C-alpha cells in the first residue's frame, strides 16, 4: 500500500511539496516542419521580391501607356532575370538559414 501524504491547505499554496509526484522523463521532440514560415521575412529576400514586383508594375504601366516596344524589351529581359533571381534567392535562403 502507498503511504498517504497529508498537507494543510495553506501550506499547499505557500510551500511547494517536498517530494515530486512524478519523475521528469527526457524525451526527444521531432518537428515535421523543417523551417518556420516567418523565416521567409528575410530583408534580402523581401528586397529582391520588391524589386521584381516593381519592375512588373512598371511594365504594366508602360503597357497601358502604349509603349509596346519598351514593354517587349522588358519582357525579354524578365524571361531571363526572373528564373535566375528566383533560384538565386532560393539558394541564398537555404544557404543562410540555420536548421
Amino acid at each position: 500500500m502507498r503511504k498517504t501524504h497529508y498537507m494543510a491547505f495553506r501550506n499547499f499554496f505557500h510551500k511547494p511539496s517536498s517530494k515530486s509526484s512524478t519523475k521528469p522523463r527526457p524525451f526527444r521532440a521531432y518537428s515535421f516542419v523543417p523551417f518556420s514560415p516567418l523565416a521567409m521575412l528575410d530583408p534580402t529576400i523581401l528586397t529582391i521580391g520588391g524589386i521584381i514586383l516593381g519592375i512588373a508594375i512598371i511594365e504594366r504601366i508602360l503597357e497601358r501607356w502604349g509603349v509596346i516596344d519598351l514593354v517587349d524589351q522588358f519582357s525579354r529581359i524578365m524571361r531571363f532575370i526572373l528564373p535566375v533571381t528566383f533560384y538565386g534567392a532560393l539558394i541564398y535562403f537555404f544557404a543562410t538559414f540555420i536548421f
Side-chain angles (χ1 to χ4, degrees), residues 14-75:
H14 297 296
K15 181 181 161 189
S17 177
S18 59
K19 48 184 185 172
S20 175
S21 61
T22 59
K23 293 181 181 178
R25 297 180 186 162
F27 65 96
R28 294 183 183 205
Y30 296 100
S31 174
F32 293 107
V33 180
F35 59 88
S36 170
L38 295 177
M40 296 296 277
L41 296 177
D42 182 32
T44 306
I45 302 238
L46 289 176
T47 303
I48 292 171
I51 290 170
I52 298 299
L53 186 63
I55 291 172
I57 290 171
I58 289 171
E59 185 179 354
R60 294 296 167 206
I61 290 171
L62 289 174
E63 186 179 7
R64 284 190 183 186
W65 287 352
V67 189
I68 302 300
D69 294 336
L70 198 54
V71 172
D72 188 42
Q73 293 295 327
F74 264 111
S75 66

Side-chain angles (χ1 to χ4, degrees), residues 34-35 40 45 87-99:
F35 59 88
M40 296 296 277
I45 302 238
Y87 289 118
L90 194 65
I91 290 169
Y92 170 80
F93 174 72
F94 284 116
T96 59
F97 184 72
I98 300 171
F99 286 97

Side-chain angles (χ1 to χ4, degrees), residues 6-17:
Y6 291 100
M7 184 181 289
F9 182 74
R10 290 183 186 183
N11 290 339
F12 177 75
F13 283 105
H14 297 296
K15 181 181 161 189
S17 177

